[in-house]
Amino acid sequence: MSTPAAPAVLDLAGVLRSAARPLPDIDDPDFAAAFDSFGDARVVLLGECTHGTAEFYRARAAITRRLVERHGFRIVALEADWPDVADLDRFARNRGVWGQHDSFVNFPRWMWRNAEFGAFLHGLRAWNLHRPAQDRVEVRGLDVYSLSQSAAEVIRYLDRVDPAAAAQARARYGCLTPFMSEPQLYGAAARLGEADCEDSVVDQLVAVVGQRYAYAALDGEDYLDAEQNARVVAAAETYYRAMYRSSIESWNRRDGHMFATLLRLLEARGPEAKAVVWAHNSHIGDASATAMGEAGEFNIGQLCREAFGPRCVAIGLGTDHGRVAAADDWGGPVRIKDILPSRRGSWEHAFLQAGHPRALVDWRRDRELAAALSRPRLERAIGVIYRPQTELQSHYFNARLSRQFDAFLWFEETAPVTPLAGAPPEGAPDIYPFGV
């Protein structure tokens, strides 16, 4: 009786070596041209495995410029707060008055306040200046952390267009006033039954939306900004209230808000609108293909894939080693840290063994390749905090790469972003991004 043959061992590095498209330097036009095949999507999600790597910002900038110039994308949506990005949008589209308040002065300021992103903004502004106003690229924030700033923006808008409504907004948001500087404390107070501002912030959102036609007739752009800030306040209230009940619930509320914001941006722009999203791999990759999904979390990548099907593509970005801008703890100063070489058995180590310093692997039309990349392996995620001493526990999780993303952009070695200057002296105006 013959012994059954053992299953063949998959040479994953060999598979990646053969499937990869080697790429030139990011500044070479052929780099961005390699992404033309993604141009027929309606939503392109561009990830990053850290929040402080120069190559990731430069690569996303080059890809985005290509999608804008050659494929009609007109929305760039960021994992960032709406009011911070709103000022940058006014700068990028040369619309109204910009530089009226500081942008990205809170932790983690380097995530968007860096030279690489600043250069992208200036390039986008230069491109926009040659386009009619209705065809310019807008830059928007998707996140939910700007509770106090968004509330202030709603009141500032109503002070200008409807002073009586502004007084009502002050009264409604007054419930949150004790928690504006540390909104996480609201969650603790809500859990103890000492605060409940849900009805107040929802009432204020309903009031703003109820005046949509009257306010929008004055200035549609300003109204869109005010309505979204009212939505952020309502979403932030639920986010911080959920924070003390469940980290899974708060994560889902955050990414659900990101997705809903993206849908509103696309709807406002029209049925042919196309968007590029910049966010961490943990947001733009399909959570259902990772340990996150197993724990009950979803993300904007999963929701986009469910909503848009093949017209949504997610491109993960990864690296093996180099240096990164990150903090030791939440709220701490930025540090330039060495990234440890990837662990054996991880996706990153397989890409390293494939031997390409820069490469793109796209498995959308290759079932065999997708099958080979569908087995669970470790994947690394470095956020604004990086703790090399506990890297396995703090930064690795299981993922099925080909189910998580549609393609993967690889850099063997990477460098940190260049953080811009700190906050201006007391009383001095902030010049970001106008003085970059």
Side-chain angles (χ1 to χ4, degrees), residues 159-202:
D159 274 337
R160 191 171 74 252
V161 303
D162 191 341
Q168 289 181 320
R170 283 187 173 88
R172 290 173 177 137
Y173 288 158
C175 177
L176 289 167
T177 298
F179 311 102
M180 287 296 191
S181 60
E182 295 183 86
Q184 67 275 14
L185 297 181
Y186 170 71
R191 186 180 183 185
L192 294 172
E194 297 173 356
D196 185 354
C197 302
E198 181 178 10
D199 290 344
S200 297
V201 299
V202 170

Side-chain angles (χ1 to χ4, degrees), residues 214-259:
Y215 292 163
L218 302 174
D219 186 318
E221 288 277 1
D222 286 349
Y223 172 74
L224 172 66
D225 186 57
E227 180 188 313
Q228 182 58 27
N229 275 308
R231 291 185 183 279
V232 171
V233 175
E237 187 275 334
T238 63
Y239 171 82
Y240 287 111
R241 186 156 35 86
M243 180 183 290
Y244 279 84
R245 292 199 299 263
S246 165
S247 61
I248 293 172
E249 182 185 356
S250 59
W251 171 278
N252 289 347
R253 288 187 178 276
R254 181 187 176 200
D255 271 59
H257 171 78
M258 288 185 180
F259 175 67

